[in-house]
């Protein structure tokens, strides 16, 4: 039974949005390379944002979480994605470095740029 639930979850979360974007993009006449770049950048943005916002959670990453075992409390922020540890003095300290944030913002910018390029491409074609 658990396998069926997992399969349905994967279908709902990954396959359906990807198939919908591919279907709408093909119907609009966008080139395959543009759809592929948009989908890859979009999923990279989603996964990078998820990992940045959940990195401090000790129940997800018990061995690597800086909030594990100490007197600090994990705090998640979903946009812009980041994780913090709230220490005993009340200060929030991020657990993500600048390189991880740069990877998220590069993927997000690429996703938006590909959507804009598709709009420009479509206007020129019509």
């Amino acid at each position: 039974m658990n396998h069926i639930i997992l399969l349905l979850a994967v279908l709902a979360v990954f396959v359906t949005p990807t198939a919908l974007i591919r279907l709408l993009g093909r119907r609009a006449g966008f080139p395959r390379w543009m759809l592929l770049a948009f989908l890859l950048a979009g999923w990279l943005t989603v996964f990078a944002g998820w990992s940045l916002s959940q990195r401090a959670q000790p129940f997800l990453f018990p061995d690597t979480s800086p909030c594990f075992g100490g007197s600090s409390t994990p705090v998640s922020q979903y946009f812009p994605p980041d994780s913090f540890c709230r220490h005993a003095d009340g200060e929030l300290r991020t657990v993500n470095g600048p390189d991880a944030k740069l990877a998220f913002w590069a993927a997000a910018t690429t996703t938006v740029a590909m959507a804009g390029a598709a709009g420009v491409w479509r206007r020129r074609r019509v």
Side-chain angles (χ1 to χ4, degrees), residues 68-109:
F68 182 69
S71 62
S72 56
T73 307
V75 178
S76 293
Q77 173 180 314
Y78 296 104
F79 194 82
D82 206 353
S83 285
F84 305 95
C85 289
R86 183 179 305 277
H87 292 271
D89 60 0
E91 182 183 358
L92 282 176
R93 295 188 193 123
T94 185
V95 298
N96 298 313
D99 293 341
K101 292 177 187 178
L102 176 66
F104 169 78
W105 285 112
T109 303

Side-chain angles (χ1 to χ4, degrees), residues 15-119:
V15 176
T16 303
T18 302
L20 184 63
I21 288 173
R22 184 182 178 280
L23 176 70
L24 292 174
R26 295 306 302 158
R27 206 160 179 225
F30 295 128
R32 281 191 168 93
W33 69 267
M34 196 175 281
L35 285 173
L36 182 65
F38 178 76
L39 284 170
L40 289 175
W43 282 117
L44 180 64
T45 303
V46 168
F47 287 124
W50 177 82
S51 74
L52 284 174
S53 67
Q54 299 301 313
R55 191 178 257 165
Q57 301 298 328
F59 63 92
L60 290 174
F61 305 103
D63 297 333
T64 60
S65 173
C67 299
F68 182 69
S71 62
S72 56
T73 307
V75 178
S76 293
Q77 173 180 314
Y78 296 104
F79 194 82
D82 206 353
S83 285
F84 305 95
C85 289
R86 183 179 305 277
H87 292 271
D89 60 0
E91 182 183 358
L92 282 176
R93 295 188 193 123
T94 185
V95 298
N96 298 313
D99 293 341
K101 292 177 187 178
L102 176 66
F104 169 78
W105 285 112
T109 303
T110 304
T111 305
V112 171
M114 289 308 299

Side-chain angles (χ1 to χ4, degrees), residues 27-30 118-126:
R27 206 160 179 225
F30 295 128
V120 169
W121 184 86
R122 177 86 170 142
R123 252 192 222 119
R124 284 189 179 177
R125 191 171 157 232
V126 173

